[in-house]
Amino acid sequence: MSDLIQASSRDIDGPLLVLKDVTTHFKTPRGLVRAVDGVSFTLDRGKALGIVGESGSGKTILSRSIMGLLPPRGTVRGGSITFEGREIGNLGRKEMRSVWGKEMAMIFQDPMTSLNPVMKIGRQIAEPLQIHLGMTKQNAWATAERLLQDVRIPEAKRRLEQYPHEMSGGMRQRVMIAIALACGPTALFADEPTTALDVTVQAQILDLLGEQRRDRNMSLVLVTHDLGVVAGHTDEIAVMYGGKLVEKATTKGLFANMKMPYTEALLNSIPRLEDRSHTRLSAIAGRPPDLVNPPKGCRFAPRCPYAQPKCQNEEPPLVPTAEDPNHLYACWYPVGSPENTEIKVRIAASKSEFAAAAGGN
Amino acid sequence: MAGTGKAHLRDSPDVLLRIEDLVVEFPVGRTGLKVNAVSGISLDVLRGETLGLVGESGCGKSTTGRAIMQLPRPTSGSVVFEGSELTRLTGDEMREARTRMQMIFQDPISSLNPRRKVRQIVMEPLNIWKRGTDAERSQKVDSILEEVGIDPTRAAESQPHQFSGGQCQRISIARSLVLDPSLIICDEPVSALDVSVQAQVLNLLEDLKAEYGLTLIFIAHDLAVVKNISDRVAVMYLGKICEVAPSDVLYENPAHHYTSVLLNSIPVPDPEVAVTKTAIEGEPPSPVLPPPGCRFNPRCPAAQDICRTEEPQLRAVGDGHFVACHFPTVTPVELSTR
């Protein structure tokens, strides 16, 4: 695949993306919304990172903060974002234009509305090539055809002349991926890329993203609420809750040894095929916190089954596990620790007491 | 008759809904062509049962749900609900029948009137049908709102946009329950929700079903969700039924190649097993010109010549397990009862 436009392989050492204490707050009539509140992590070249959390956890705002795609008014930003050694956290829209496309690209959840309905597919792919890479129109269209083949769209030549409404949702998402890949970005952000799609198409799109990442030596950031989606398609996972990073580890490390009760709860709420039908699902009670007035201690404490008085008052720091310095978590009573086991035993005991009392009636 | 057969229909006094040879077609502009959305399917649902309808976009699962409600009326076929033939009812009679069968839609926010207070939205069906006195209506609405986990006081002063997606879906469920229906058709009720909220709503549906003695038709594309909530599952593809089985049987022992494809597409939340093989290439063909023979044959790994010419009929491969395939992965059994 020598004719691919490869991610620019500049020989800069160190990680591709470094976030230090990134905050993104929005001024609203209700007060300051702390959508992203002090997130730090690094992303290496060619790696796939999953950012996981519920609606309102800040995962989308975090990825948009990195991309510089935030509303200009009422946004208060803090911390530092370095991409290939260059600070991009404070760049304006104009300056970001040189970063978009060639350095970073993004695909969105809704393939129906992210394409221009009155522009031919071919022009939508060719345009960034002409603008960012200075290709001639003829070259750009030829490249566009090859990109459509790369994302496995049959009859690419004919499709170039079509409009978005002539394609299915899965096809449109493939076109979005082709546009995002067009200028050979070093990092691709995919925000819930498969949530609007059927399971069969979801599997195809995830495989396609993984394959393109390997072929192009590109980093991938996969933002989703579904731990099932990231399990097979990422190297690392960052779990967000209430605007904070609450756990980060390699994908294998995370699934083998979850520390944060929130991560465990997210995993347990997925219906499993191997369970018999009508198996009671373990839902997470309550709702994500109000980010204008977040809880004082741990933000997950009000919904956490293991919460203790300390959790309500003191915010747990992000610390590494004993076994793996790269596995970070923020919890006073992490899953698997003796303290947590003790709480679990106590909960089980009070439950059986309750059941006994109820049975006696 | 190009139907996919009726071997799976049950002869029981408990049948609440029975659909036979349901066909729904939509004209394509003035071309004279038509979209074959649903092509002669038959199904039945027993009282208190949950029937899951699964398949990809465009397989006709939502159209089937709407055709049961006569929204719009099907092109042909019969829909018998609580003993009455819905396709022959007049408009007024049908309106009355719809109080016994309700629907919940995919997008909880757009299915609620944004300009009205939530409590009014839930009250509306009672006002329209003039059920009970004002006090009785209020009491009923409040108790149902409590039941689905929405604070009635807040509902009285808030509009839908002040609630989250999961809460809006709870409100839709409350609205569907106020008239005490016997059947609720849920059209992708959880696919717009987060996994954590999805679990809450699924648990809620199970609780309400038990409490109100409801019968559910649960339409979704996610097999794991459908398995969790259903007693019986029908897999649809391009307007036809591929397979019908009790849900545990379907998952342990899928007989149709398409069912296996759907099962293999579900992402497994475990990195040790999650090395996905792309289960299937491409997307379903157009329902305007469906392929002859078995409609799945162009994408089927096991397709033979007969699959391209002759349409398979549903036949038994086990107890309550039926498949429409010439080469099922489970050996068919001879049914002595029919």
Side-chain angles (χ1 to χ4, degrees):
Chain A
M1 290 228 174
S2 57
D3 53 349
L4 283 181
I5 300 168
Q6 290 266 344
S8 51
S9 47
R10 287 182 217 162
D11 43 9
I12 298 174
D13 291 331
L16 178 72
L17 180 68
V18 182
L19 271 69
K20 272 197 196 121
D21 207 23
V22 172
T23 57
T24 305
H25 297 171
F26 298 107
K27 289 181 194 157
T28 69
R30 282 178 58 235
L32 202 60
V33 176
R34 296 157 197 280
V36 176
D37 212 9
V39 171
S40 308
F41 66 78
T42 58
L43 172 64
D44 288 330
R45 276 157 219 282
K47 292 279 186 210
L49 169 73
I51 301 182
V52 184
E54 286 169 283
S55 306
S57 62
K59 57 190 194 301
T60 294
I61 299 298
L62 178 66
S63 56
R64 283 177 165 261
S65 301
I66 302 169
M67 284 289 291
L69 290 172
L70 293 168
R73 276 184 207 181
T75 308
V76 187
R77 304 187 57 179
S80 125
I81 302 172
T82 38
F83 186 81
E84 296 206 315
R86 172 184 174 206
E87 174 66 43
I88 57 163
N90 50 10
L91 295 186
R93 269 193 183 231
K94 262 198 185 134
E95 296 152 298
M96 281 306 285
R97 277 183 180 272
S98 65
V99 177
W100 291 336
K102 273 186 280 187
E103 312 271 2
M104 307 182 199
M106 192 163 193
I107 49 178
F108 302 92
Q109 172 170 359
D110 189 353
M112 309 293 159
T113 54
S114 35
L115 290 167
N116 185 337
V118 293
M119 202 192 269
K120 280 181 184 170
I121 296 294
R123 191 165 154 215
Q124 298 194 48
I125 308 175
E127 206 165 56
L129 291 166
Q130 290 168 260
I131 293 170
H132 290 297
L133 302 183
M135 282 190 187
T136 62
K137 190 181 166 192
Q138 208 180 0
N139 261 343
W141 277 70
T143 312
E145 189 183 332
R146 213 163 50 229
L147 281 161
L148 283 190
Q149 287 161 358
D150 284 349
V151 296
R152 305 257 181 77
I153 292 186
E155 301 176 78
K157 193 158 198 119
R158 188 173 65 87
R159 291 289 185 181
L160 288 176
E161 299 289 338
Q162 286 189 332
Y163 291 93
H165 73 89
E166 296 173 79
M167 299 184 145
S168 68
M171 282 290 175
R172 282 184 243 188
Q173 197 59 296
R174 285 170 196 268
V175 171
M176 282 307 298
I177 295 174
I179 293 173
L181 293 175
C183 300
T186 327
L188 178 66
F189 290 80
D191 188 358
E192 302 269 12
T194 58
T195 306
L197 305 174
D198 276 337
V199 271
T200 47
V201 182
Q202 163 170 295
Q204 295 170 6
I205 295 285
L206 290 172
D207 286 348
L208 173 69
L209 283 172
E211 175 193 298
Q212 291 294 324
R213 173 175 72 87
R214 284 187 293 275
D215 287 353
R216 292 163 189 267
N217 190 29
M218 175 178 77
S219 299
L220 174 69
V221 178
L222 197 59
V223 180
T224 173
H225 68 273
D226 190 345
L227 271 170
V229 166
V230 288
H233 295 89
T234 56
D235 304 304
E236 284 181 298
I237 294 177
V239 182
M240 285 192 70
Y241 187 79
K244 299 251 179 199
L245 194 64
V246 293
E247 185 159 12
K248 181 170 188 263
T250 60
T251 303
K252 282 191 176 162
L254 186 85
F255 279 92
N257 190 15
M258 298 193 164
K259 290 291 175 194
M260 180 64 195
Y262 178 61
T263 316
E264 187 193 51
L266 264 188
L267 182 67
N268 288 342
S269 61
I270 302 174
R272 301 280 187 137
L273 266 185
E274 58 271 23
D275 288 344
R276 291 195 71 78
S277 70
H278 302 297
T279 301
R280 190 87 184 161
L281 296 169
S282 26
I284 310 178
R287 288 203 295 142
D290 175 11
L291 295 176
V292 175
N293 298 303
K296 193 168 89 185
C298 170
R299 292 187 176 181
F300 185 55
R303 300 170 77 191
C304 182
Y306 316 125
Q308 302 295 310
K310 186 180 185 182
C311 306
Q312 260 114 40
N313 297 312
E314 289 173 57
E315 192 179 326
L318 203 60
V319 292
T321 61
E323 310 88 57
D324 180 0
N326 290 321
H327 186 159
L328 305 172
Y329 67 96
C331 181
W332 293 121
Y333 305 97
V335 177
S337 68
E339 298 88 350
N340 181 278
T341 315
E342 194 189 307
I343 299 170
K344 269 187 185 159
V345 170
R346 246 187 290 151
I347 295 174
S350 71
K351 255 191 200 154
S352 61
E353 222 170 82
F354 180 75
N361 280 338
Chain B
M1 187 68 227
T4 34
K6 295 179 195 174
H8 59 298
L9 292 185
R10 291 163 293 187
D11 203 9
S12 155
D14 280 340
V15 171
L16 180 75
L17 175 79
R18 180 193 274 256
I19 311 164
E20 284 183 68
D21 303 318
L22 187 75
V23 176
V24 184
E25 292 164 352
F26 301 107
V28 183
R30 289 184 195 153
T31 54
L33 296 171
K34 55 189 198 287
V35 176
N36 300 278
V38 177
S39 305
I41 67 164
S42 303
L43 275 174
D44 57 7
V45 190
L46 302 187
R47 215 171 275 281
E49 190 178 50
T50 300
L51 173 73
L53 273 184
V54 270
E56 287 169 281
S57 302
C59 72
K61 56 191 191 299
S62 293
T63 308
T64 303
R66 302 186 70 113
I68 295 168
M69 298 287 288
Q70 311 292 306
L71 290 169
R73 284 179 190 267
T75 312
S76 67
S78 117
V79 179
V80 178
F81 172 69
E82 294 188 326
S84 60
E85 172 61 62
L86 299 184
T87 52
R88 280 197 227 112
L89 296 187
T90 64
D92 279 348
E93 287 167 335
M94 192 55 225
R95 267 167 55 80
E96 181 114 37
R98 285 197 195 107
T99 63
R100 310 280 304 137
M101 47 205 289
Q102 291 280 313
M103 213 161 171
I104 305 170
F105 300 94
Q106 173 167 4
D107 184 347
I109 294 163
S110 65
S111 54
L112 301 174
N113 186 333
R115 307 178 68 115
R116 306 194 66 187
K117 300 282 196 286
V118 162
R119 197 162 173 281
Q120 279 184 327
I121 294 175
V122 178
M123 177 90 76
E124 184 78 358
L126 293 174
N127 292 341
I128 291 174
W129 290 98
K130 303 193 173 61
R131 296 268 174 93
T133 62
D134 280 0
E136 283 166 352
R137 287 178 205 168
S138 287
Q139 202 208 339
K140 170 121 204 178
V141 168
D142 288 350
S143 77
I144 285 183
L145 281 170
E146 294 266 7
E147 197 89 56
V148 299
I150 300 286
D151 175 17
T153 341
R154 192 172 159 221
E157 56 204 28
S158 312
Q159 290 165 328
H161 72 92
Q162 290 164 291
F163 291 88
S164 70
Q167 287 175 314
C168 283
Q169 200 57 289
R170 288 165 185 272
I171 295 164
S172 301
I173 293 171
R175 176 179 59 182
S176 72
L177 286 176
V178 284
L179 288 173
D180 296 314
S182 54
L183 175 71
I184 296 192
I185 299 174
C186 312
D187 189 358
E188 300 265 13
V190 295
S191 49
L193 306 176
D194 273 350
V195 275
S196 54
V197 181
Q198 165 179 300
Q200 291 175 4
V201 172
L202 289 173
N203 284 344
L204 176 69
L205 280 172
E206 289 271 39
D207 293 343
L208 294 173
K209 185 190 158 197
E211 191 178 327
Y212 290 83
L214 298 170
T215 304
L216 299 182
I217 295 182
F218 193 95
I219 302 170
H221 68 268
D222 185 335
L223 274 167
V225 168
V226 169
K227 176 181 184 189
N228 181 270
I229 198 157
S230 307
D231 301 302
R232 203 166 185 238
V233 177
V235 181
M236 287 187 69
Y237 185 79
L238 218 58
K240 298 273 184 187
I241 291 179
C242 303
E243 187 166 2
V244 182
S247 55
D248 287 328
V249 172
L250 186 83
Y251 292 83
E252 271 155 36
N253 224 352
H256 201 284
H257 299 279
Y258 181 60
T259 313
S260 310
V261 162
L262 281 182
L263 286 172
N264 290 337
S265 305
I266 299 174
V268 185
D270 182 350
E272 304 294 332
V273 289
V275 198
T276 52
K277 52 245 167 272
T278 297
I280 192 166
E281 289 289 332
E283 290 171 36
S286 159
V288 176
L289 292 167
C294 171
R295 291 193 174 180
F296 186 56
N297 84 66
R299 299 169 83 197
C300 183
Q304 306 286 324
D305 285 343
I306 185 176
C307 304
R308 292 182 253 284
T309 53
E310 205 172 301
E311 183 171 358
Q313 300 286 307
L314 276 164
R315 53 186 167 153
V317 287
D319 193 14
H321 188 179
F322 299 85
V323 64
C325 178
H326 292 300
F327 304 99
T329 49
V330 175
T331 328
V333 292
E334 289 302 322
L335 263 199
S336 51
T337 50
R338 271 174 205 266

